[in-house]
Structures are given as C-alpha cells and as structure tokens.
Amino acid sequence: MEQIILGIDPGTSVMGFSIISIIGKTVNVTVLDVLRLAKIDSHPLKLKKIFETTLRLINEYHPDSLAIEAPFFGKNVQSMLKLGRAQGVAMAAALYRDIPVFEYSPRKIKQSITGNGAASKEQVAAMLSNLIQFKNDSTFLDATDALAVAYCHYLQRNTKSPTTEYNSWAGFISKNPERVTEKRK
C-alpha cells in the first residue's frame, strides 16, 4: 500500500515543499521545490499564496499526511510571528482537506536524518541524498529541508516517539492551550 507524505518547511520569503511516496520500504521523491515569496510585498498576500500552494499540492497529490517543521524560538519576535502565521496557513489548508498534520522540531528532524540534532542544512541534504535517490541541488536547501521533514515523518511513523498530531482545530487547541488566547470583549 502506498503512503504519500507532504513535507513543508514554512517561510515567508521561501517555503520549501516536497512530496514523497512510500511503497514498502522504498521511498521515492515525487516533488521537491520551493515557493518564492520575496517579490510579494503584502504579508497577507504571502499567506494567501502559501495556503493556495499547499491546497494545490494536496488536491494534486492526495497526501495521507502533512509533516511540517515547527517554528523555533528566535530573538526576533516579528520574524517568529510571521513564520508562525506561514506554518498556520499551511496547516489550515491540510486540515481543510482533513489531512492529519504532524509537527516536528528542527532538532528532531536533524536528529532523525543525521543522528545529530545540531547538523547543518548542508549535512542534512547530503545525508538525504545518500538515503533517497534525488538530485541534490545545494541552491534548494529549503526544498531539502522540506524533504527532511517528510522523511523524518516516514521514519517516525512506526516508532513510539512522541509527535504532535492534529486532526482538527479543536485537536490543535486541546494540545496547545497556551498558544490560544481568549477573545476579549
């Protein structure tokens, strides 16, 4: 039975995405690309483009799940907010089509691919090119990051490792109450 995983490395300048298909233990890369958003001036229009692209990928490839990189905590609050929004609209597109969402930390992804949670993007891409047959182009590190997220999910699917899965907004809210604030009157 074939399993299809959509992997996304969210971003508001560049969003990496990949589609992998798994039959047995054979992993094939179906799509490996980036969405360039730098020329779009409006942040809401960037979010719209991310939502539309994610929805198009779901409609075209019918993934069984979405694996997405969780935002990491940085010093720039505005950057974190924008990245969280990008991740949120990609998740919303998947949830809109009833696709389960699995979120992985950057450290977990790097650890599962290279064995080193502090590995560089280049090290992750090089290891992936040894594990899966695909054209490793170092100019597409956001795309290989998305591939790493999808492959991490493939590796984690049969383990008892804790992952974060959301099947609905209610599921997201119940597992992340601290990330939701009440609407003030």
Side-chain angles (χ1 to χ4, degrees):
M1 181 171 166
E2 182 180 35
Q3 179 187 16
I4 300 171
I5 301 170
L6 168 58
I8 292 185
D9 178 32
T12 56
S13 293
V14 178
M15 178 184 90
F17 59 90
S18 70
I19 301 277
I20 61 172
S21 65
I22 302 104
I23 299 174
K25 292 188 179 197
T26 303
V27 177
N28 293 302
V29 178
T30 306
V31 175
L32 183 64
D33 208 347
V34 294
L35 172 64
R36 298 189 188 284
L37 300 158
K39 291 183 180 179
I40 301 173
D41 292 331
S42 166
H43 185 69
L45 291 179
K46 287 181 180 189
L47 297 176
K48 180 180 184 236
K49 187 70 171 175
I50 292 167
F51 184 87
E52 290 170 344
T53 300
T54 305
L55 202 54
R56 178 183 55 79
L57 291 166
I58 290 167
N59 291 340
E60 186 173 343
Y61 295 99
H62 309 286
D64 299 297
S65 56
L66 167 72
I68 193 164
E69 184 173 308
F72 57 91
F73 296 100
K75 293 179 182 178
N76 186 328
V77 175
Q78 283 299 316
S79 294
M80 284 295 303
L81 179 62
K82 289 177 180 178
L83 183 59
R85 288 174 178 163
Q87 181 200 33
V89 295
M91 291 169 65
L95 293 170
Y96 181 70
R97 289 288 190 243
D98 296 319
I99 306 294
V101 175
F102 297 84
E103 184 179 39
Y104 297 94
S105 71
R107 185 168 193 77
K108 177 72 171 180
I109 296 163
K110 293 173 183 180
Q111 178 74 35
S112 58
I113 304 298
T114 68
N116 176 4
S120 70
K121 287 177 175 272
E122 293 81 6
Q123 289 171 317
V124 171
M127 183 60 80
L128 282 169
S129 69
N130 288 330
L131 297 169
I132 311 170
Q133 297 299 313
F134 74 98
K135 185 179 181 221
N136 184 3
D137 184 349
S138 63
T139 61
F140 278 148
L141 288 175
D142 292 292
T144 54
D145 282 354
L147 178 59
V149 178
Y151 195 74
C152 172
H153 179 61
Y154 160 69
L155 294 173
Q156 299 301 313
R157 68 189 175 126
N158 291 325
T159 67
K160 301 276 186 206
S161 272
T163 60
T164 307
E165 177 185 357
Y166 313 114
N167 289 313
S168 66
W169 281 115
F172 174 82
I173 291 167
S174 72
K175 291 182 183 178
N176 297 280
E178 75 285 355
R179 292 175 74 178
V180 180
T181 60
E182 288 185 36
K183 190 174 183 178
R184 296 186 181 176
K185 296 179 182 181

